[in-house]
Protein backbone atom coordinates (compact mmCIF):
# COMPACT_ATOMS: atom_id res chain seq x y z
CA UNK A 1 0.00 0.00 0.00
CA UNK A 2 1.48 3.36 -1.00
CA UNK A 3 1.09 6.69 0.74
CA UNK A 4 -1.76 7.77 -1.47
CA UNK A 5 -3.86 4.74 -0.57
CA UNK A 6 -3.65 5.49 3.17
CA UNK A 7 -5.87 8.51 2.79
CA UNK A 8 -9.17 8.60 0.92
CA UNK A 9 -9.64 10.93 -1.99
CA UNK A 10 -11.25 14.24 -1.01
CA UNK A 11 -15.00 14.32 -1.50
CA UNK A 12 -16.87 16.90 -3.53
CA UNK A 13 -16.82 17.93 -7.18
CA UNK A 14 -14.40 20.85 -6.91
CA UNK A 15 -10.75 19.87 -6.98
CA UNK A 16 -8.27 22.72 -7.24
CA UNK A 17 -5.52 20.53 -8.68
CA UNK A 18 -7.63 20.06 -11.82
CA UNK A 19 -7.99 23.83 -12.14
CA UNK A 20 -4.20 24.11 -11.93
CA UNK A 21 -3.86 21.42 -14.59
CA UNK A 22 -6.26 23.38 -16.83
CA UNK A 23 -4.20 26.56 -16.33
CA UNK A 24 -1.00 24.75 -17.28
CA UNK A 25 -2.78 23.24 -20.30
CA UNK A 26 -3.79 26.68 -21.61
CA UNK A 27 -0.30 28.04 -20.89
CA UNK A 28 1.18 25.38 -23.15
CA UNK A 29 -1.37 25.96 -25.91
CA UNK A 30 -0.42 29.66 -25.98
CA UNK A 31 3.27 28.81 -25.66
CA UNK A 32 3.31 26.57 -28.71
CA UNK A 33 0.99 28.84 -30.66
CA UNK A 34 3.67 31.54 -30.31
CA UNK A 35 6.42 29.10 -31.25
CA UNK A 36 4.71 27.94 -34.45
CA UNK A 37 3.12 31.17 -35.73
CA UNK A 38 6.40 32.07 -37.44
CA UNK A 39 6.30 28.81 -39.44
CA UNK A 40 2.81 29.70 -40.69
CA UNK A 41 3.91 33.22 -41.55
CA UNK A 42 7.20 32.12 -43.11
CA UNK A 43 6.21 31.35 -46.74
CA UNK A 44 4.71 34.84 -47.23
CA UNK A 45 7.05 36.59 -44.82
CA UNK A 46 10.12 35.14 -46.56
CA UNK A 47 8.94 36.40 -49.92
CA UNK A 48 8.19 39.89 -48.58
CA UNK A 49 11.52 40.51 -46.85
CA UNK A 50 13.60 38.15 -49.04
CA UNK A 51 14.84 35.20 -46.94
CA UNK A 52 16.79 32.20 -48.28
CA UNK A 53 16.11 28.67 -46.95
CA UNK A 54 19.29 28.88 -44.87
CA UNK A 55 18.13 32.19 -43.37
CA UNK A 56 14.72 30.65 -42.71
CA UNK A 57 16.45 27.78 -40.87
CA UNK A 58 18.36 30.30 -38.78
CA UNK A 59 15.11 32.13 -37.92
CA UNK A 60 13.43 28.84 -36.95
CA UNK A 61 16.40 27.90 -34.75
CA UNK A 62 17.03 31.34 -33.21
CA UNK A 63 14.38 30.67 -30.59
CA UNK A 64 16.41 27.69 -29.41
CA UNK A 65 19.79 29.44 -29.09
CA UNK A 66 18.98 31.52 -26.04
CA UNK A 67 16.19 29.16 -24.91
CA UNK A 68 18.79 26.41 -24.52
CA UNK A 69 21.36 28.71 -22.92
CA UNK A 70 18.84 29.88 -20.31
CA UNK A 71 17.58 26.46 -19.20
CA UNK A 72 19.94 26.03 -16.25
CA UNK A 73 19.71 29.69 -15.09
CA UNK A 74 15.94 29.46 -15.61
CA UNK A 75 15.76 26.32 -13.47
CA UNK A 76 17.70 28.04 -10.67
CA UNK A 77 15.43 31.12 -10.85
CA UNK A 78 12.38 28.85 -10.84
CA UNK A 79 13.50 27.09 -7.67
CA UNK A 80 14.13 30.48 -6.06
CA UNK A 81 11.00 32.43 -7.08
CA UNK A 82 8.46 29.69 -7.85
CA UNK A 83 6.09 29.00 -10.72
CA UNK A 84 3.66 31.88 -10.13
CA UNK A 85 6.05 34.81 -10.58
CA UNK A 86 8.36 33.19 -13.13
CA UNK A 87 5.49 32.06 -15.35
CA UNK A 88 3.90 35.52 -15.30
CA UNK A 89 7.15 37.20 -16.35
CA UNK A 90 7.73 34.52 -18.97
CA UNK A 91 4.23 34.66 -20.48
CA UNK A 92 4.08 38.44 -20.60
CA UNK A 93 7.60 38.71 -22.03
CA UNK A 94 7.34 36.21 -24.87
CA UNK A 95 3.88 37.53 -25.82
CA UNK A 96 5.30 41.06 -26.05
CA UNK A 97 8.11 39.76 -28.30
CA UNK A 98 5.46 38.06 -30.46
CA UNK A 99 3.50 41.30 -30.74
CA UNK A 100 6.65 43.19 -31.81
CA UNK A 101 7.26 40.69 -34.63
CA UNK A 102 4.35 42.27 -36.47
CA UNK A 103 6.53 45.30 -37.21
CA UNK A 104 9.68 43.64 -38.60
CA UNK A 105 11.12 44.51 -42.01
CA UNK A 106 14.46 42.64 -42.04
CA UNK A 107 16.15 39.36 -41.22
CA UNK A 108 18.07 40.94 -38.32
CA UNK A 109 14.93 42.33 -36.66
CA UNK A 110 13.10 39.01 -36.86
CA UNK A 111 16.16 37.15 -35.63
CA UNK A 112 16.46 39.43 -32.60
CA UNK A 113 12.80 39.07 -31.64
CA UNK A 114 12.90 35.29 -32.00
CA UNK A 115 15.86 35.33 -29.62
CA UNK A 116 13.66 37.35 -27.26
CA UNK A 117 10.86 34.78 -27.48
CA UNK A 118 13.37 32.05 -26.62
CA UNK A 119 14.70 34.01 -23.65
CA UNK A 120 11.30 34.52 -22.05
CA UNK A 121 10.05 31.00 -22.78
CA UNK A 122 13.07 29.33 -21.17
CA UNK A 123 11.49 28.60 -17.72
CA UNK A 124 8.22 27.28 -19.16
CA UNK A 125 8.63 23.49 -19.27
CA UNK A 126 10.44 23.21 -15.92
CA UNK A 127 7.72 25.46 -14.45
CA UNK A 128 5.02 23.13 -15.79
CA UNK A 129 6.75 20.12 -14.28
CA UNK A 130 7.25 21.96 -10.98
CA UNK A 131 3.59 22.97 -10.76
CA UNK A 132 2.41 19.41 -11.40
CA UNK A 133 4.95 17.99 -8.90
CA UNK A 134 3.55 20.36 -6.27
CA UNK A 135 -0.13 19.78 -7.03
CA UNK A 136 -0.43 16.07 -7.90
CA UNK A 137 0.26 12.90 -5.89
CA UNK A 138 2.69 10.48 -7.48
CA UNK A 139 0.07 7.95 -8.63
CA UNK A 140 -1.78 10.66 -10.62
CA UNK A 141 1.29 12.42 -11.95
CA UNK A 142 1.77 10.33 -15.10
CA UNK A 143 -1.75 11.09 -16.26
CA UNK A 144 -1.40 14.77 -15.34
CA UNK A 145 1.88 15.03 -17.26
CA UNK A 146 0.29 13.20 -20.18
CA UNK A 147 -2.63 15.66 -20.21
CA UNK A 148 -0.52 18.80 -20.06
CA UNK A 149 1.97 17.37 -22.56
CA UNK A 150 -0.93 16.74 -24.92
CA UNK A 151 -1.69 20.47 -24.93
CA UNK A 152 1.13 21.17 -27.37
CA UNK A 153 -0.46 18.74 -29.83
CA UNK A 154 -4.19 19.28 -29.25
CA UNK A 155 -3.69 23.02 -29.00
CA UNK A 156 -1.82 23.13 -32.29
CA UNK A 157 -4.25 20.70 -33.97
CA UNK A 158 -7.15 22.99 -33.08
CA UNK A 159 -5.30 26.26 -33.54
CA UNK A 160 -3.50 25.51 -36.82
CA UNK A 161 -6.62 25.98 -39.00
CA UNK A 162 -7.51 29.04 -36.90
CA UNK A 163 -4.02 30.51 -37.23
CA UNK A 164 -4.02 29.89 -40.97
CA UNK A 165 -7.46 31.53 -41.18
CA UNK A 166 -6.16 34.57 -39.27
CA UNK A 167 -3.14 34.68 -41.54
CA UNK A 168 -5.26 34.45 -44.68
CA UNK A 169 -7.62 37.16 -43.36
CA UNK A 170 -5.32 39.78 -41.80
CA UNK A 171 -1.90 38.69 -43.08
CA UNK A 172 1.19 37.55 -41.24
CA UNK A 173 1.56 40.84 -39.36
CA UNK A 174 -1.99 40.57 -38.04
CA UNK A 175 -1.24 36.99 -37.00
CA UNK A 176 1.58 38.17 -34.73
CA UNK A 177 -0.57 40.95 -33.27
CA UNK A 178 -3.48 38.69 -32.35
CA UNK A 179 -1.40 35.87 -30.87
CA UNK A 180 0.71 38.35 -28.90
CA UNK A 181 -2.29 40.09 -27.34
CA UNK A 182 -3.89 36.77 -26.33
CA UNK A 183 -0.75 35.81 -24.40
CA UNK A 184 -0.48 39.16 -22.61
CA UNK A 185 -4.07 38.88 -21.36
CA UNK A 186 -3.58 35.29 -20.20
CA UNK A 187 -0.44 36.20 -18.22
CA UNK A 188 -2.61 38.19 -15.81
CA UNK A 189 -5.15 35.34 -15.55
CA UNK A 190 -2.35 32.98 -14.48
CA UNK A 191 -0.98 35.41 -11.89
CA UNK A 192 -4.40 35.93 -10.27
CA UNK A 193 -5.34 32.24 -10.00
CA UNK A 194 -2.13 30.25 -9.50
CA UNK A 195 -0.17 29.69 -6.30
CA UNK A 196 1.56 26.66 -4.75
CA UNK A 197 -0.87 24.42 -2.80
CA UNK A 198 0.22 25.45 0.71
CA UNK A 199 -0.49 29.10 -0.16
CA UNK A 200 -3.62 28.60 -2.26
CA UNK A 201 -6.84 30.03 -0.81
CA UNK A 202 -9.14 27.85 -2.93
CA UNK A 203 -7.76 24.39 -2.08
CA UNK A 204 -9.59 22.40 0.61
CA UNK A 205 -7.74 20.91 3.55
CA UNK A 206 -8.88 17.43 2.48
CA UNK A 207 -7.37 17.87 -0.98
CA UNK A 208 -4.22 19.36 0.53
CA UNK A 209 -3.82 16.33 2.82
CA UNK A 210 -4.47 13.96 -0.08
CA UNK A 211 -1.87 15.37 -2.45
CA UNK A 212 0.66 15.74 0.36
CA UNK A 213 0.21 12.14 1.50
CA UNK A 214 0.61 11.03 -2.12
CA UNK A 215 4.10 12.44 -2.45
CA UNK A 216 3.52 15.96 -3.79
CA UNK A 217 6.41 18.35 -3.13
CA UNK A 218 5.69 20.92 -0.40
CA UNK A 219 7.53 24.21 -0.04
CA UNK A 220 7.42 24.30 3.74
CA UNK A 221 9.07 20.87 3.94
CA UNK A 222 11.87 22.07 1.67
CA UNK A 223 12.34 25.17 3.79
CA UNK A 224 12.59 23.15 7.01
CA UNK A 225 15.27 20.92 5.48
CA UNK A 226 17.12 23.85 3.97
CA UNK A 227 16.69 22.32 0.49
CA UNK A 228 16.00 25.56 -1.33
CA UNK A 229 19.62 26.56 -1.03
CA UNK A 230 20.74 23.38 -2.80
CA UNK A 231 19.45 24.47 -6.21
CA UNK A 232 22.80 25.60 -7.53
CA UNK A 233 25.59 24.15 -9.65
CA UNK A 234 27.83 22.61 -7.00
CA UNK A 235 30.12 19.65 -7.66
CA UNK A 236 27.87 17.35 -5.63
CA UNK A 237 24.73 18.50 -7.43
CA UNK A 238 26.38 17.97 -10.81
CA UNK A 239 27.21 14.41 -9.78
CA UNK A 240 23.56 13.81 -8.86
CA UNK A 241 22.30 15.42 -12.06
CA UNK A 242 24.54 13.46 -14.44
CA UNK A 243 24.06 9.85 -13.44
CA UNK A 244 23.96 7.27 -16.26
CA UNK A 245 20.16 7.07 -16.20
CA UNK A 246 19.71 10.85 -16.26
CA UNK A 247 22.17 11.15 -19.15
CA UNK A 248 20.10 8.54 -20.96
CA UNK A 249 16.89 10.56 -20.63
CA UNK A 250 18.74 13.73 -21.63
CA UNK A 251 19.81 12.09 -24.91
CA UNK A 252 16.30 10.72 -25.36
CA UNK A 253 14.81 14.18 -24.88
CA UNK A 254 16.99 15.59 -27.65
CA UNK A 255 15.75 12.84 -29.98
CA UNK A 256 12.07 13.23 -29.09
CA UNK A 257 12.22 17.00 -29.43
CA UNK A 258 13.96 16.62 -32.80
CA UNK A 259 10.85 15.18 -34.44
CA UNK A 260 8.66 17.77 -32.78
CA UNK A 261 10.78 20.64 -34.05
CA UNK A 262 10.55 19.38 -37.62
CA UNK A 263 6.76 19.59 -37.37
CA UNK A 264 6.85 22.90 -35.54
CA UNK A 265 9.11 24.64 -38.07
CA UNK A 266 9.53 23.05 -41.50
CA UNK A 267 6.35 20.95 -41.83
CA UNK A 268 4.13 23.74 -43.28
CA UNK A 269 6.86 24.57 -45.83
CA UNK A 270 7.23 20.87 -46.59
CA UNK A 271 3.54 20.63 -47.50
CA UNK A 272 3.39 23.86 -49.52
CA UNK A 273 6.77 23.85 -51.24
CA UNK A 274 7.69 20.16 -51.52
CA UNK A 275 4.17 18.79 -52.09
CA UNK A 276 2.58 21.87 -53.69
CA UNK A 277 -0.45 22.16 -51.39
CA UNK A 278 -2.31 25.45 -51.00
CA UNK A 279 -2.14 27.42 -47.74
CA UNK A 280 -5.85 26.78 -47.15
CA UNK A 281 -5.46 23.01 -47.55
CA UNK A 282 -2.22 23.03 -45.55
CA UNK A 283 -4.02 24.54 -42.55
CA UNK A 284 -6.38 21.56 -42.43
CA UNK A 285 -3.95 18.79 -43.33
CA UNK A 286 -1.24 19.99 -40.97
CA UNK A 287 -3.64 19.65 -38.03
CA UNK A 288 -4.12 15.88 -38.57
CA UNK A 289 -0.64 14.77 -37.37
CA UNK A 290 -1.06 16.98 -34.30
CA UNK A 291 -4.34 15.22 -33.49
CA UNK A 292 -2.56 11.87 -33.88
CA UNK A 293 0.19 13.04 -31.52
CA UNK A 294 -2.45 14.20 -29.03
CA UNK A 295 -4.01 10.73 -29.02
CA UNK A 296 -0.55 9.27 -28.51
CA UNK A 297 0.18 11.42 -25.46
CA UNK A 298 -3.18 10.73 -23.80
CA UNK A 299 -2.86 7.01 -24.45
CA UNK A 300 0.72 6.90 -23.14
CA UNK A 301 -0.11 8.71 -19.90
CA UNK A 302 -3.15 6.57 -19.18
CA UNK A 303 -1.43 3.29 -20.12
CA UNK A 304 1.65 4.12 -18.06
CA UNK A 305 -0.33 4.90 -14.89
CA UNK A 306 -2.63 1.90 -15.48
CA UNK A 307 0.31 -0.49 -15.76
CA UNK A 308 1.84 1.01 -12.61
CA UNK A 309 -1.38 0.51 -10.64
CA UNK A 310 -1.62 -3.08 -11.93
CA UNK A 311 1.75 -3.85 -10.37
CA UNK A 312 4.03 -3.64 -13.38
CA UNK A 313 7.54 -2.34 -12.74
CA UNK A 314 8.32 1.35 -13.26
CA UNK A 315 10.75 0.30 -15.96
CA UNK A 316 8.04 -1.50 -17.95
CA UNK A 317 5.17 0.92 -17.39
CA UNK A 318 7.10 4.16 -18.03
CA UNK A 319 9.60 3.13 -20.71
CA UNK A 320 7.52 1.02 -23.12
CA UNK A 321 5.43 3.94 -24.50
CA UNK A 322 8.60 5.98 -25.03
CA UNK A 323 10.55 3.26 -26.85
CA UNK A 324 7.61 2.16 -29.01
CA UNK A 325 6.88 5.79 -29.84
CA UNK A 326 10.43 6.52 -30.94
CA UNK A 327 10.45 3.44 -33.17
CA UNK A 328 7.11 4.43 -34.76
CA UNK A 329 8.68 7.79 -35.61
CA UNK A 330 10.93 6.00 -38.12
CA UNK A 331 7.89 5.64 -40.40
CA UNK A 332 8.24 9.33 -41.26
CA UNK A 333 10.55 8.12 -44.05
CA UNK A 334 7.56 6.50 -45.78
CA UNK A 335 6.54 9.95 -47.05
CA UNK A 336 9.65 9.90 -49.26
CA UNK A 337 8.11 7.15 -51.39
CA UNK A 338 4.76 8.69 -52.30
CA UNK A 339 3.30 11.87 -53.73
CA UNK A 340 -0.25 11.04 -52.62
CA UNK A 341 -1.35 13.67 -50.03
CA UNK A 342 -3.41 11.09 -48.12
CA UNK A 343 -0.48 8.69 -47.75
CA UNK A 344 1.90 11.53 -46.88
CA UNK A 345 -0.36 12.65 -44.05
CA UNK A 346 -0.82 9.01 -42.97
CA UNK A 347 2.94 8.46 -42.62
CA UNK A 348 3.36 11.82 -40.89
CA UNK A 349 0.47 11.06 -38.52
CA UNK A 350 1.86 7.65 -37.53
CA UNK A 351 5.27 9.20 -36.91
CA UNK A 352 3.80 12.02 -34.85
CA UNK A 353 1.53 9.60 -32.97
CA UNK A 354 4.75 7.86 -31.98
CA UNK A 355 6.26 11.17 -30.95
CA UNK A 356 3.20 11.75 -28.76
CA UNK A 357 3.63 8.32 -27.14
CA UNK A 358 7.21 9.24 -26.30
CA UNK A 359 6.47 12.72 -24.95
CA UNK A 360 5.57 11.72 -21.37
CA UNK A 361 9.28 11.70 -20.55
CA UNK A 362 8.95 14.46 -17.91
CA UNK A 363 7.80 11.67 -15.59
CA UNK A 364 11.40 10.37 -15.64
CA UNK A 365 12.65 13.67 -14.23
CA UNK A 366 10.37 13.32 -11.21
CA UNK A 367 11.37 9.65 -10.82
CA UNK A 368 15.13 10.00 -11.20
CA UNK A 369 16.10 13.52 -10.10
CA UNK A 370 16.56 14.56 -6.42
CA UNK A 371 13.39 16.31 -5.19
CA UNK A 372 15.31 19.35 -4.03
CA UNK A 373 16.82 19.73 -7.52
CA UNK A 374 13.68 19.30 -9.63
CA UNK A 375 13.90 22.79 -11.12
CA UNK A 376 17.59 22.42 -12.00
CA UNK A 377 17.19 18.86 -13.30
CA UNK A 378 14.20 19.98 -15.33
CA UNK A 379 16.26 22.82 -16.73
CA UNK A 380 19.04 20.46 -17.88
CA UNK A 381 16.48 18.00 -19.27
CA UNK A 382 14.73 20.75 -21.20
CA UNK A 383 18.10 22.15 -22.30
CA UNK A 384 18.75 18.89 -24.15
CA UNK A 385 15.38 19.17 -25.85
CA UNK A 386 16.08 22.81 -26.62
CA UNK A 387 19.35 21.90 -28.32
CA UNK A 388 17.30 20.06 -30.94
CA UNK A 389 15.42 23.29 -31.63
CA UNK A 390 18.78 24.74 -32.67
CA UNK A 391 20.22 21.77 -34.55
CA UNK A 392 17.17 20.40 -36.39
CA UNK A 393 15.94 23.59 -38.17
CA UNK A 394 19.45 24.62 -39.24
CA UNK A 395 20.45 21.18 -40.52
CA UNK A 396 17.16 20.83 -42.40
CA UNK A 397 17.65 24.32 -43.85
CA UNK A 398 20.89 23.11 -45.43
CA UNK A 399 19.45 19.71 -46.44
CA UNK A 400 16.54 21.30 -48.33
CA UNK A 401 18.58 24.08 -49.97
CA UNK A 402 18.30 22.16 -53.25
CA UNK A 403 14.52 21.94 -52.91
CA UNK A 404 14.28 18.29 -51.77
CA UNK A 405 13.10 17.18 -48.30
CA UNK A 406 13.99 13.46 -48.62
CA UNK A 407 17.27 13.64 -46.70
CA UNK A 408 15.60 15.81 -44.06
CA UNK A 409 13.09 13.04 -43.26
CA UNK A 410 15.89 10.45 -43.08
CA UNK A 411 17.74 12.75 -40.68
CA UNK A 412 14.70 13.09 -38.40
CA UNK A 413 14.24 9.28 -38.37
CA UNK A 414 17.91 8.67 -37.55
CA UNK A 415 17.72 10.99 -34.52
CA UNK A 416 14.63 9.10 -33.28
CA UNK A 417 16.51 5.79 -33.56
CA UNK A 418 19.33 7.19 -31.41
CA UNK A 419 16.74 8.13 -28.78
CA UNK A 420 15.22 4.63 -28.72
CA UNK A 421 18.67 3.09 -28.25
CA UNK A 422 19.39 5.52 -25.41
CA UNK A 423 16.29 4.44 -23.46
CA UNK A 424 16.99 0.75 -24.12
CA UNK A 425 20.72 0.62 -23.42
CA UNK A 426 21.63 3.73 -21.37
CA UNK A 427 18.60 4.37 -19.15
CA UNK A 428 18.16 0.66 -18.67
CA UNK A 429 16.15 -0.75 -15.75
CA UNK A 430 14.55 1.98 -13.63
CA UNK A 431 14.01 -0.46 -10.76
CA UNK A 432 17.74 -0.90 -10.10
Amino acid sequence: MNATEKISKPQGKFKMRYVILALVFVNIVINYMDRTNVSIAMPELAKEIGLTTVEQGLIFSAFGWIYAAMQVPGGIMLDKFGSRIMYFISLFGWSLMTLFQSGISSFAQLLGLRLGVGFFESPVMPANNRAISYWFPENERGTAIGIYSSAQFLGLAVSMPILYSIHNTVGWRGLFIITGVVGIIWAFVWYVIYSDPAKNKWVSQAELDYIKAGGAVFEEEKAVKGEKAKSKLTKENLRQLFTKKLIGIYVGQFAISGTFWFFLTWFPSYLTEEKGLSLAKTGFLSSIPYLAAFVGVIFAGYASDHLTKRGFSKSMSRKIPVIVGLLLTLLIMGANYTSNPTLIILFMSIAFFGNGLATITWVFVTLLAPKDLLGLAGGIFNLCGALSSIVIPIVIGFLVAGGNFSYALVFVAAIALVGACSYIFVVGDLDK
Side-chain angles (χ1 to χ4, degrees):
M1 181 178 291
N2 59 37
T4 321
E5 296 171 328
K6 294 178 183 178
I7 183 169
S8 60
K9 288 188 176 182
Q11 301 300 310
K13 295 182 179 180
F14 181 78
K15 296 179 177 64
M16 190 61 198
R17 67 187 184 279
Y18 298 151
V19 175
I20 299 302
L21 181 58
L23 287 175
V24 170
F25 189 96
V26 175
N27 288 350
I28 297 175
V29 170
I30 294 173
N31 180 262
Y32 280 91
M33 180 177 69
D34 287 340
R35 293 189 191 190
T36 197
N37 53 15
V38 72
S39 69
I40 294 171
M42 187 57 77
E44 294 299 320
L45 184 158
K47 291 176 184 177
E48 183 171 326
I49 66 175
L51 299 178
T52 67
T53 60
V54 173
E55 287 175 328
Q56 291 175 53
L58 289 171
I59 292 295
F60 286 144
S61 72
F63 163 91
W65 302 351
I66 197 164
Y67 181 81
M70 287 299 298
Q71 285 306 299
V72 172
I76 293 172
M77 296 289 283
L78 179 61
D79 282 334
K80 184 173 183 180
F81 295 107
S83 297
R84 186 189 188 208
I85 293 175
M86 287 302 296
Y87 225 133
F88 171 77
I89 294 171
S90 180
L91 243 171
F92 186 88
W94 93 61
S95 298
L96 195 61
M97 295 297 103
T98 298
L99 180 61
F100 288 162
Q101 287 175 74
S102 64
I104 64 101
S105 58
S106 69
F107 168 76
Q109 289 174 346
L110 183 56
L111 184 70
L113 288 171
R114 292 303 294 176
L115 289 169
V117 172
F119 174 83
F120 283 107
E121 286 198 12
S122 59
V124 165
M125 295 309 289
N128 294 332
N129 192 54
R130 183 185 184 278
I132 296 304
S133 297
Y134 274 60
W135 274 96
F136 280 82
E138 190 171 325
N139 73 333
E140 294 181 4
R141 206 171 292 159
T143 298
I145 290 173
I147 290 172
Y148 88 63
S149 296
S150 74
Q152 58 192 296
F153 302 113
L154 180 62
L156 288 172
V158 173
S159 66
M160 286 295 263
I162 297 172
L163 294 176
Y164 271 100
S165 178
I166 293 171
H167 174 273
N168 295 339
T169 303
V170 297
W172 62 268
R173 296 185 188 277
L175 175 65
F176 287 129
I177 292 172
I178 291 172
T179 51
V181 169
V182 167
I184 289 172
I185 293 172
W186 185 256
F188 288 95
V189 174
W190 166 267
Y191 188 79
V192 169
I193 298 177
Y194 182 85
S195 63
D196 289 342
K199 302 173 184 176
N200 192 279
K201 61 183 178 182
W202 292 295
V203 66
S204 68
Q205 187 60 48
E207 184 176 16
L208 201 62
D209 292 340
Y210 173 70
I211 62 178
K212 187 174 182 179
V217 180
F218 268 68
E219 195 66 45
E220 65 267 21
E221 292 177 356
K222 292 174 66 179
V224 168
K225 296 177 183 178
E227 292 175 352
K228 251 188 170 181
K230 294 184 180 180
S231 188
K232 56 180 70 173
L233 285 175
T234 65
K235 184 177 180 180
E236 174 60 23
N237 285 350
L238 285 174
R239 186 187 66 79
Q240 295 181 61
L241 293 170
F242 286 93
T243 64
K244 179 184 175 183
K245 294 182 188 301
L246 283 171
I247 290 172
I249 70 171
Y250 297 157
V251 173
Q253 187 65 5
F254 178 91
I256 293 165
S257 298
T259 302
F260 183 75
W261 277 98
F262 163 74
F263 280 93
L264 203 65
T265 57
W266 281 105
F267 185 50
S269 296
Y270 169 76
L271 293 179
T272 57
E273 297 176 13
E274 172 83 356
K275 300 305 178 182
L277 300 177
S278 66
L279 280 173
K281 182 174 280 190
T282 296
F284 169 71
L285 291 178
S286 63
S287 70
I288 297 174
Y290 285 106
L291 284 173
F294 165 72
V295 173
V297 173
I298 293 298
F299 178 74
Y302 171 78
S304 181
D305 277 354
H306 180 71
L307 290 173
T308 299
K309 292 174 183 177
R310 290 290 301 273
F312 284 79
S313 69
K314 287 185 291 186
S315 199
M316 290 286 289
S317 61
R318 303 305 192 190
K319 283 176 57 183
I320 285 176
V322 176
I323 294 169
V324 171
L326 283 163
L327 294 177
L328 283 175
T329 302
L330 302 183
L331 292 177
I332 197 172
M333 291 187 295
N336 283 338
Y337 302 98
T338 181
S339 58
N340 185 311
T342 301
L343 289 177
I344 291 167
I345 295 301
L346 176 62
F347 282 119
M348 292 290 172
S349 296
I350 293 172
F352 217 18
F353 170 81
N355 190 251
L357 274 178
T359 306
I360 62 163
T361 46
W362 275 99
V363 73
F364 294 103
V365 178
T366 61
L367 283 173
L368 298 174
K371 282 189 175 182
D372 55 303
L373 296 172
L374 276 178
L376 192 50
I380 295 171
F381 181 75
N382 210 38
L383 165 63
C384 296
L387 289 175
S388 70
S389 72
I390 300 172
V391 174
I392 302 301
I394 291 178
V395 172
I396 292 177
F398 280 99
L399 291 175
V400 305
N404 191 317
F405 273 80
S406 297
Y407 290 117
L409 299 190
V410 173
F411 172 66
V412 171
I415 296 296
L417 182 60
V418 170
C421 290
S422 182
Y423 268 96
I424 295 170
F425 300 112
V426 182
V427 176
D429 190 347
L430 294 174
D431 301 303
K432 291 183 179 179

